[in-house]
Amino acid sequence: AVDDATLSSVTSESRVVAFPWRGGAGEIRCVDSPGLGDSGGRDSRHVSGLADLLQRDVKYVHAFVVVLNSQEPRVTCHLKEMLLLFGSMFGEGYLRHVLLCFTRWEYDKRAKKKRVRTGMSELRLAELMNQELRKLLGHDFDCPCVFLDNNVNSCTEEELEDEFEDEAEAVKREFEDELGKVHEFMLGTKPFLCQDVKSITTEKDALKHKVLQLIQVVNEEALGRRLICAESGVIHRGWLRWRRRWVFGVLRRQHLRLFADEESTEPTGPKEVDLTGCICSTGSEWQLLHGRFPAFTVYRPVNVQGAARSYFCHVFQVRTEEERQRWVLLAQEATQISESCHRIEKFHGGLRAAAGRAEYERAMDIVAAETMVIPVEWLLQQVDSKNRKPTLQQAMKDLQRDRVVVDGVDFHCPLGDDLAAHICDQVLEAAGRPAEEHAEVKASVIARDVLLGCSRTQGGGDTFDAVQLLFGSNDQGLVLCKPDAPTEPILV
């Protein structure tokens, strides 16, 4: 069972509850078991406990009642996992004992007329859900269905009279009829014997254990750069000859970094060339003197505002003329400040130059009626964010007090390994479950990057720095205050 208010597991252990059916028509035993997708990450333990309870105490089962909300009739990822897991535990025969119970099914005339308009009758809903289950589980028969209005059972006679008036007796009869179908199903079904129930580890928990190990030991800087082709912000990469030795260059917007080889994580040579305000050309005296390889030049002719250094000049060589043309073209592109960066820089300059409130408000008019996009590349040029990069441990700690929605699946204060396992599974599913050696390692690196990206230690820090930089560094007496509003979930 799950508490809808907190989205946390209410039932922590499987237990047997016995009570008389409707006050006297024989005793009924119900097994209350924790659902899968447990907020504490204890799925395998719960499955093992359920298997032990069924074998030791219960012995046999007449009905597996699958409870569904009729107002949101869908097979959720947790229900799907549970049904597949039960198939592994009980075998395919258990499906003959499954009863689908749709709750929140109102019986009054108004609700029935609404269902006629929408075309969602009992028969239609049962047909649609059984089609989905047959497709998922592979059986060739329909599971019987019942439709219950929970409120009828929880209301007193007076409350029913007040709510339904002259329909109260008809509503109660319909509820009793539907509830009677549950009793008839149990009495008319041969018991399912539980002696062969298997205690198994859920596939999700097995994957979670593996992913948790991988994301903590995989060095994605050293290993991931070979396995993961997509690297954020990279415009071009390749071998360059610099000062009579070959180095591996990685070109990003406004930056060129040089490494000893493709796998190195520590830069070499000038480490990082700030391309702000630079010019890239094919002309070079170096090639006239050392004409063995085609060469190009990267230089900054004058002091440029925002650049880390003033004048400099670097000469690089490549193996072919085609490579040189490609490097020059892409390096010229990388030296350009993006339109959004240029716009923010202009806006920032206007705020800083404001001599009084009137000028400040005129500068603010530029963004008063529109959404302002602040490029991260511009922010990182203005502030030192190296010490704020979160560790994996910090990111996992942040997530436990946050809400994350991954492809529509809501995770409320998730454990980091649960979220990582879900992301890893989604990545492998999208890739068609590849059999290659490093598939799970690749997916784990992506999952780790997502966890780090979800951390508000970094994202929130970037946002505060941007606002502080734009509006807090002025003489207009402005004070930045955090709004008292609910935080939107992180969307992945």
Side-chain angles (χ1 to χ4, degrees), residues 211-397:
V211 169
L212 182 61
Q213 290 181 317
L214 286 173
I215 63 176
Q216 296 190 69
V217 301
V218 168
N219 182 342
E220 76 273 22
E221 292 291 335
L223 179 61
R225 292 301 171 256
R226 290 182 60 191
L227 297 178
I228 308 299
C229 296
E231 184 180 354
S232 177
V234 173
I235 297 174
H236 187 51
R237 65 177 77 201
W239 289 97
L240 298 168
R241 194 166 187 262
W242 177 76
R243 295 187 179 179
R244 295 186 173 86
R245 64 191 178 101
W246 289 96
V247 294
F248 192 76
V250 177
L251 181 67
R252 294 183 177 87
R253 187 173 292 280
Q254 272 105 50
H255 295 283
L256 172 64
R257 303 186 78 186
L258 304 177
F259 300 87
D261 54 48
E262 297 178 66
E263 299 182 20
S264 295
T265 59
E266 291 298 323
T268 186
K271 293 189 177 180
E272 185 170 276
V273 179
D274 181 2
L275 299 178
T276 306
C278 286
I279 295 174
C280 181
S281 70
T282 57
S284 172
E285 295 181 359
W286 180 274
Q287 187 170 356
L288 296 176
L289 298 174
H290 309 276
R292 182 180 175 188
F293 297 106
F296 65 92
T297 305
V298 176
Y299 68 97
R300 181 182 295 129
V302 294
N303 291 347
V304 176
Q305 182 180 4
R309 294 178 53 193
S310 56
Y311 173 81
F312 67 78
C313 179
H314 290 294
V315 178
F316 299 100
Q317 293 178 287
V318 291
R319 296 187 184 279
T320 67
E321 180 63 31
E322 183 181 355
E323 286 183 67
R324 177 170 72 166
Q325 294 297 332
R326 183 171 180 79
W327 270 103
V328 170
L329 176 66
L330 295 175
Q332 287 175 340
E333 169 64 22
T335 63
Q336 303 300 311
I337 298 177
S338 65
E339 181 181 350
S340 54
C341 267
H342 178 74
R343 188 163 176 265
I344 288 297
E345 184 61 45
K346 181 179 179 181
F347 174 64
H348 186 213
L351 293 179
R352 287 185 300 178
R357 178 167 179 170
E359 289 187 21
Y360 190 84
E361 289 179 350
R362 281 197 297 272
M364 284 285 292
D365 285 342
I366 299 175
V367 296
E370 59 184 271
T371 300
M372 180 169 56
V373 178
I374 304 176
V376 175
E377 61 182 276
W378 174 81
L379 175 65
L380 297 181
Q381 290 173 12
Q382 312 296 321
V383 300
D384 181 11
S385 60
K386 292 181 180 178
N387 295 328
R388 201 181 63 246
K389 185 175 181 180
T391 62
L392 180 62
Q393 288 72 25
Q394 180 62 49
M396 295 175 82
K397 182 179 178 181

Side-chain angles (χ1 to χ4, degrees), residues 422-469:
H422 178 79
I423 294 168
C424 188
D425 185 62
Q426 292 293 96
V427 171
L428 293 172
E429 179 71 24
R433 304 286 174 184
E436 62 178 285
E437 179 183 1
H438 295 301
E440 288 186 344
V441 178
K442 291 181 181 181
S444 297
V445 172
I446 294 174
R448 180 179 182 175
D449 287 345
V450 172
L451 291 188
L452 293 172
C454 287
S455 171
R456 293 193 192 263
T457 296
Q458 179 167 347
D462 288 343
T463 303
F464 180 82
D465 280 346
V467 175
Q468 177 70 31
L469 186 63

